[in-house]
Amino acid sequence: MKTAHDVIVIGLGGMGSATACHLAARGHRVLGLERFGPAHNRGSSHGGSRVTRQSYFEDPAYVPLLLRSYELFEKLERDTGRDIVTLCGGLMLGRPDSRTVAGSRRSAEQWGLPHEMLDAGEVRRRFPTFTPADDEVALYEGRAGFVRPEATVTAHVQLALQAGADLRFEEPVTRWEVLPGGRGVRVHTADDVYTAGHLVVCPGAWAPRLLADLGVRFTVERQVMYWFQPEGGTAAFDPRRHPVYVWEDTGGVQVYGFPAIDGPQDGAKVAFFRKGTVCDPETIDRTVHDDEVAAMAAQLRPRIPALPGRLRKAVTCMYTTTADEHFVLARHPEHPEAVTVACGFSGHGFKFVPVVGEIAADLALHGTTEHPIALFDPLRNELRQSATEPEETTT
Ligand SMILES: Cc1cc2nc3c(=O)[nH]c(=O)nc-3n(C[C@H](O)[C@H](O)[C@H](O)COP(=O)(O)OP(=O)(O)OC[C@H]3O[C@@H](n4cnc5c(N)ncnc54)[C@H](O)[C@@H]3O)c2cc1C
């Protein structure tokens, strides 16, 4: 069958722009369709910064993907001349048996990643903005830091266009279907109908709409990023001295943050990891309320006393979370010949964006990849069980 494109990519946010870039760089005719503009702020890939780290407390199985992602981020910087990654170091703080500390240590030891274990006194001495309790410790990783999400998306869009991809913004997809016998796909937008040999769906928080037949339940969560002006100014939060951090309290609540990297006006960014409220991307409340700001300030005050000074700004964002908080990255089980899915990044996907683009391109073109992605199988038991449970309405 004659089609105008080899592959259509739906959604050109973090994952879709990287996928389009990898497919076009390999010489394939790519059509990308995005409902908003390039590097927009209504999905999950905005807000100026994302933590990146290798001593991965979520699961050691992510580490080889991170090693490849770091290489690809460096290449992206070289190929575009953009400033995308800063490895300012990172602290994973909490009790020694917390998931954040013990899990990070497990990944570091299993993969031989350079790291240091610091007791509370050493943390206070080396990083004086932090005031851990005596029974808390930290894993310090010199190769942690932050990546710039908007610059990443812009760089992938730029390279995809340079390699000949046809990227159409402000063109929402209304529906897609597989052609009889799985011999390609047809994609409908508000403006047109397109066909191609293969489809990659990278829908972010719109996964429940665009992947209704995947059989995976996604919880879309509203999350808030806060920028506080530190008391005494931003000098102590300079990224040449100040690491990124994830800090787990005794109740398992994780707060994370960055040095002051968005200019002296904006101060330093912090957020809760998870602890969001269920939302819908069409109706999400983008107003940040006083009680939310007060809860964040209360979390920070005993830990980073200089930080909860004046709130400079607060912006909402969305997580698309699976039952086990691992990604979904595979051929679509219902349409394995024609469709690849990259979704459910569960609030920790950005540091993987370039490697997800590489893997999604492998899956689209060959149906397999050399990267280890068994953890991301949509047919895994953890997701099957949750898909049959009743729908939750609150967290
Ligand atoms: C507050 C916050 C903090 C985070 N912190 C970190 C962090 O520190 N480290 C980390 O690694 N990760 C972090 N993440 C997670 C990470 O940012 C996400 O996993 C990642 O951005 C998801 O990318 P995506 O491509 O799946 O989604 P998106 O970038 O949102 O892309 C999906 C795209 O699909 C488009 N789309 C949807 N429906 C349609 C349609 N019908 N037609 C056309 N286009 C459509 C959307 O407009 C959107 O552009 C954070 C996320 C948030 C919200």
Side-chain angles (χ1 to χ4, degrees):
M1 179 179 163
K2 194 167 172 346
T3 55
H5 299 94
D6 299 324
V7 185
I8 296 175
V9 179
I10 301 180
L12 297 172
M15 307 305 171
S17 61
T19 303
C21 176
H22 280 270
L23 286 166
R26 296 185 203 178
H28 296 275
R29 292 168 307 167
V30 180
L31 172 67
L33 296 168
E34 165 57 50
R35 60 185 298 158
F36 299 123
H40 65 88
N41 62 3
R42 281 176 281 182
S44 304
S45 299
H46 60 281
S49 52
R50 293 289 184 267
V51 170
T52 187
R53 52 194 160 84
Q54 295 183 344
S55 300
Y56 217 56
F57 57 76
E58 287 84 346
D59 199 301
Y62 286 88
V63 174
L65 299 176
L66 285 162
L67 297 176
R68 178 62 179 155
S69 199
Y70 271 54
E71 286 176 4
L72 289 172
F73 266 122
E74 276 174 31
K75 182 169 180 331
L76 194 60
E77 285 191 320
R78 280 198 307 277
D79 289 349
T80 60
R82 288 177 195 274
D83 180 11
I84 297 175
V85 185
T86 305
L87 301 183
C88 57
L91 277 180
M92 306 299 127
L93 297 123
R95 295 260 182 88
D97 60 352
S98 64
R99 185 176 182 221
T100 305
V101 172
S104 301
R105 190 170 188 173
R106 179 170 158 233
S107 274
E109 287 173 354
Q110 185 169 323
W111 288 96
L113 302 172
H115 68 286
E116 294 171 68
M117 296 305 303
L118 309 180
D119 65 25
E122 286 171 306
V123 172
R124 288 186 220 116
R125 208 164 40 251
R126 280 178 58 179
F127 303 105
T129 58
F130 296 94
T131 56
D134 288 341
D135 61 353
E136 290 182 303
V137 299
L139 179 145
Y140 177 73
E141 181 184 354
R143 286 188 50 80
F146 60 90
V147 300
R148 297 286 199 179
E150 290 89 345
T152 306
V153 174
T154 306
H156 279 133
V157 165
Q158 177 193 330
L159 293 181
L161 290 171
Q162 281 169 12
D166 179 1
L167 305 185
R168 305 194 183 185
F169 293 93
E170 312 292 345
E171 187 165 345
V173 169
T174 48
R175 66 191 171 89
W176 58 266
E177 74 233 355
V178 173
L179 297 173
R183 281 177 294 119
V185 290
R186 188 182 293 125
V187 175
H188 302 254
T189 71
D191 303 332
D192 223 325
V193 180
Y194 306 93
T195 54
H198 197 86
L199 175 66
V200 186
V201 189
C202 305
W206 286 264
R209 282 184 175 71
L210 280 168
L211 293 172
D213 66 346
L214 187 60
V216 174
R217 198 178 74 203
F218 301 99
T219 306
V220 178
E221 289 173 45
R222 171 185 175 278
Q223 298 286 341
V224 181
M225 301 173 269
Y226 305 83
W227 284 257
F228 285 99
Q229 181 63 34
E231 272 160 35
T234 52
F237 289 81
D238 187 308
R240 285 166 297 188
R241 279 186 289 280
H242 201 283
V244 299
Y245 52 92
V246 181
W247 199 327
E248 183 172 334
D249 70 15
T250 49
V253 173
Q254 293 163 301
V255 69
Y256 67 93
F258 300 81
I261 53 176
D262 296 318
Q265 287 310 313
D266 278 345
K269 189 176 107 174
V270 291
F272 284 112
F273 190 30
R274 318 212 173 278
K275 220 178 167 278
T277 48
V278 173
C279 74
D280 182 293
E282 303 296 327
T283 56
I284 176 176
D285 177 8
R286 301 243 178 228
T287 305
V288 178
H289 303 276
D290 289 348
D291 58 331
E292 296 179 288
V293 179
M296 175 53 86
Q299 189 77 11
L300 292 173
R301 212 163 277 121
R303 298 178 172 84
I304 313 176
L307 195 50
R310 213 147 18 107
L311 183 77
R312 286 300 194 178
K313 64 175 184 181
V315 172
T316 57
C317 180
M318 289 175 285
Y319 288 1
T320 308
T321 302
T322 64
D324 60 2
E325 298 170 359
H326 296 307
F327 311 158
V328 174
L329 183 54
R331 284 281 181 107
H332 192 310
E334 297 294 320
H335 317 289
E337 336 66 16
V339 184
T340 295
V341 294
C343 53
F345 289 94
S346 303
H348 62 117
F350 209 87
K351 59 184 87 58
F352 299 91
V353 157
V355 74
V356 168
E358 183 167 76
I359 293 168
D362 289 345
L363 292 172
L365 299 175
H366 313 299
T368 58
T369 180
E370 291 184 350
H371 291 291
I373 57 164
L375 197 57
F376 311 143
D377 184 346
L379 298 177
R380 62 189 185 263
N381 282 338
E382 292 76 2
L383 302 194
R384 296 287 112 185
Q385 283 154 9
S386 79
T388 56
E389 284 165 12
E391 194 67 22
E392 278 178 43
T393 50
T394 53
T395 48

PDB file of all heavy atoms in Angstrom, residues 57-68:
ATOM      1  N   PHE A  57      16.850   5.037  42.713  1.00  0.00           N
ATOM      2  CA  PHE A  57      16.199   4.304  43.807  1.00  0.00           C
ATOM      3  C   PHE A  57      14.971   3.540  43.327  1.00  0.00           C
ATOM      4  O   PHE A  57      14.564   2.575  43.961  1.00  0.00           O
ATOM      5  CB  PHE A  57      15.851   5.228  44.986  1.00  0.00           C
ATOM      6  CG  PHE A  57      14.977   6.397  44.676  1.00  0.00           C
ATOM      7  CD1 PHE A  57      13.625   6.254  44.471  1.00  0.00           C
ATOM      8  CD2 PHE A  57      15.522   7.683  44.633  1.00  0.00           C
ATOM      9  CE1 PHE A  57      12.821   7.346  44.203  1.00  0.00           C
ATOM     10  CE2 PHE A  57      14.727   8.783  44.364  1.00  0.00           C
ATOM     11  CZ  PHE A  57      13.376   8.615  44.142  1.00  0.00           C
ATOM     12  N   GLU A  58      14.399   3.939  42.200  1.00  0.00           N
ATOM     13  CA  GLU A  58      13.186   3.267  41.714  1.00  0.00           C
ATOM     14  C   GLU A  58      13.443   1.799  41.372  1.00  0.00           C
ATOM     15  O   GLU A  58      12.626   0.941  41.652  1.00  0.00           O
ATOM     16  CB  GLU A  58      12.640   3.988  40.487  1.00  0.00           C
ATOM     17  CG  GLU A  58      11.972   5.331  40.783  1.00  0.00           C
ATOM     18  CD  GLU A  58      12.925   6.501  40.877  1.00  0.00           C
ATOM     19  OE1 GLU A  58      14.155   6.284  40.985  1.00  0.00           O
ATOM     20  OE2 GLU A  58      12.442   7.645  40.851  1.00  0.00           O
ATOM     21  N   ASP A  59      14.584   1.527  40.725  1.00  0.00           N
ATOM     22  CA  ASP A  59      14.939   0.139  40.368  1.00  0.00           C
ATOM     23  C   ASP A  59      16.291   0.151  39.657  1.00  0.00           C
ATOM     24  O   ASP A  59      16.492   0.961  38.748  1.00  0.00           O
ATOM     25  CB  ASP A  59      13.872  -0.461  39.424  1.00  0.00           C
ATOM     26  CG  ASP A  59      13.923  -1.980  39.389  1.00  0.00           C
ATOM     27  OD1 ASP A  59      14.982  -2.534  39.035  1.00  0.00           O
ATOM     28  OD2 ASP A  59      12.913  -2.611  39.744  1.00  0.00           O
ATOM     29  N   PRO A  60      17.188  -0.772  40.010  1.00  0.00           N
ATOM     30  CA  PRO A  60      18.488  -0.800  39.315  1.00  0.00           C
ATOM     31  C   PRO A  60      18.361  -1.101  37.819  1.00  0.00           C
ATOM     32  O   PRO A  60      19.277  -0.809  37.052  1.00  0.00           O
ATOM     33  CB  PRO A  60      19.258  -1.932  40.016  1.00  0.00           C
ATOM     34  CG  PRO A  60      18.523  -2.217  41.271  1.00  0.00           C
ATOM     35  CD  PRO A  60      17.104  -1.772  41.086  1.00  0.00           C
ATOM     36  N   ALA A  61      17.218  -1.657  37.399  1.00  0.00           N
ATOM     37  CA  ALA A  61      17.046  -1.986  35.976  1.00  0.00           C
ATOM     38  C   ALA A  61      17.067  -0.747  35.084  1.00  0.00           C
ATOM     39  O   ALA A  61      17.263  -0.857  33.870  1.00  0.00           O
ATOM     40  CB  ALA A  61      15.730  -2.748  35.766  1.00  0.00           C
ATOM     41  N   TYR A  62      16.863   0.444  35.682  1.00  0.00           N
ATOM     42  CA  TYR A  62      16.892   1.667  34.882  1.00  0.00           C
ATOM     43  C   TYR A  62      18.317   2.134  34.573  1.00  0.00           C
ATOM     44  O   TYR A  62      18.516   2.987  33.712  1.00  0.00           O
ATOM     45  CB  TYR A  62      16.179   2.806  35.621  1.00  0.00           C
ATOM     46  CG  TYR A  62      14.672   2.709  35.664  1.00  0.00           C
ATOM     47  CD1 TYR A  62      14.015   2.020  36.679  1.00  0.00           C
ATOM     48  CD2 TYR A  62      13.886   3.345  34.701  1.00  0.00           C
ATOM     49  CE1 TYR A  62      12.633   1.955  36.725  1.00  0.00           C
ATOM     50  CE2 TYR A  62      12.501   3.287  34.747  1.00  0.00           C
ATOM     51  CZ  TYR A  62      11.882   2.592  35.757  1.00  0.00           C
ATOM     52  OH  TYR A  62      10.515   2.528  35.800  1.00  0.00           O
ATOM     53  N   VAL A  63      19.299   1.622  35.298  1.00  0.00           N
ATOM     54  CA  VAL A  63      20.642   2.220  35.216  1.00  0.00           C
ATOM     55  C   VAL A  63      21.255   2.140  33.807  1.00  0.00           C
ATOM     56  O   VAL A  63      21.755   3.143  33.299  1.00  0.00           O
ATOM     57  CB  VAL A  63      21.574   1.636  36.300  1.00  0.00           C
ATOM     58  CG1 VAL A  63      22.997   2.149  36.130  1.00  0.00           C
ATOM     59  CG2 VAL A  63      21.039   1.994  37.693  1.00  0.00           C
ATOM     60  N   PRO A  64      21.208   0.975  33.125  1.00  0.00           N
ATOM     61  CA  PRO A  64      21.792   0.973  31.772  1.00  0.00           C
ATOM     62  C   PRO A  64      21.103   1.958  30.828  1.00  0.00           C
ATOM     63  O   PRO A  64      21.762   2.541  29.959  1.00  0.00           O
ATOM     64  CB  PRO A  64      21.577  -0.464  31.278  1.00  0.00           C
ATOM     65  CG  PRO A  64      20.894  -1.205  32.353  1.00  0.00           C
ATOM     66  CD  PRO A  64      20.749  -0.344  33.554  1.00  0.00           C
ATOM     67  N   LEU A  65      19.830   2.180  31.027  1.00  0.00           N
ATOM     68  CA  LEU A  65      19.133   3.160  30.187  1.00  0.00           C
ATOM     69  C   LEU A  65      19.611   4.571  30.502  1.00  0.00           C
ATOM     70  O   LEU A  65      19.729   5.416  29.615  1.00  0.00           O
ATOM     71  CB  LEU A  65      17.620   3.059  30.406  1.00  0.00           C
ATOM     72  CG  LEU A  65      16.994   1.717  30.064  1.00  0.00           C
ATOM     73  CD1 LEU A  65      15.507   1.704  30.403  1.00  0.00           C
ATOM     74  CD2 LEU A  65      17.182   1.406  28.583  1.00  0.00           C
ATOM     75  N   LEU A  66      19.886   4.806  31.783  1.00  0.00           N
ATOM     76  CA  LEU A  66      20.386   6.130  32.166  1.00  0.00           C
ATOM     77  C   LEU A  66      21.772   6.379  31.584  1.00  0.00           C
ATOM     78  O   LEU A  66      22.065   7.477  31.118  1.00  0.00           O
ATOM     79  CB  LEU A  66      20.417   6.251  33.693  1.00  0.00           C
ATOM     80  CG  LEU A  66      19.026   6.440  34.288  1.00  0.00           C
ATOM     81  CD1 LEU A  66      18.999   6.122  35.775  1.00  0.00           C
ATOM     82  CD2 LEU A  66      18.539   7.862  34.037  1.00  0.00           C
ATOM     83  N   LEU A  67      22.605   5.348  31.593  1.00  0.00           N
ATOM     84  CA  LEU A  67      23.959   5.535  31.056  1.00  0.00           C
ATOM     85  C   LEU A  67      23.868   5.926  29.574  1.00  0.00           C
ATOM     86  O   LEU A  67      24.554   6.817  29.101  1.00  0.00           O
ATOM     87  CB  LEU A  67      24.790   4.265  31.245  1.00  0.00           C
ATOM     88  CG  LEU A  67      25.017   3.859  32.716  1.00  0.00           C
ATOM     89  CD1 LEU A  67      25.770   2.532  32.796  1.00  0.00           C
ATOM     90  CD2 LEU A  67      25.755   4.938  33.510  1.00  0.00           C
ATOM     91  N   ARG A  68      22.973   5.283  28.838  1.00  0.00           N
ATOM     92  CA  ARG A  68      22.785   5.620  27.426  1.00  0.00           C
ATOM     93  C   ARG A  68      22.138   7.006  27.270  1.00  0.00           C
ATOM     94  O   ARG A  68      22.497   7.785  26.386  1.00  0.00           O
ATOM     95  CB  ARG A  68      21.919   4.540  26.752  1.00  0.00           C
ATOM     96  CG  ARG A  68      21.626   4.795  25.308  1.00  0.00           C
ATOM     97  CD  ARG A  68      22.903   4.837  24.475  1.00  0.00           C
ATOM     98  NE  ARG A  68      22.601   5.065  23.061  1.00  0.00           N
ATOM     99  CZ  ARG A  68      23.457   5.616  22.208  1.00  0.00           C
ATOM    100  NH1 ARG A  68      24.665   6.002  22.603  1.00  0.00           N
ATOM    101  NH2 ARG A  68      23.117   5.783  20.957  1.00  0.00           N
TER     102      ARG A  68
END
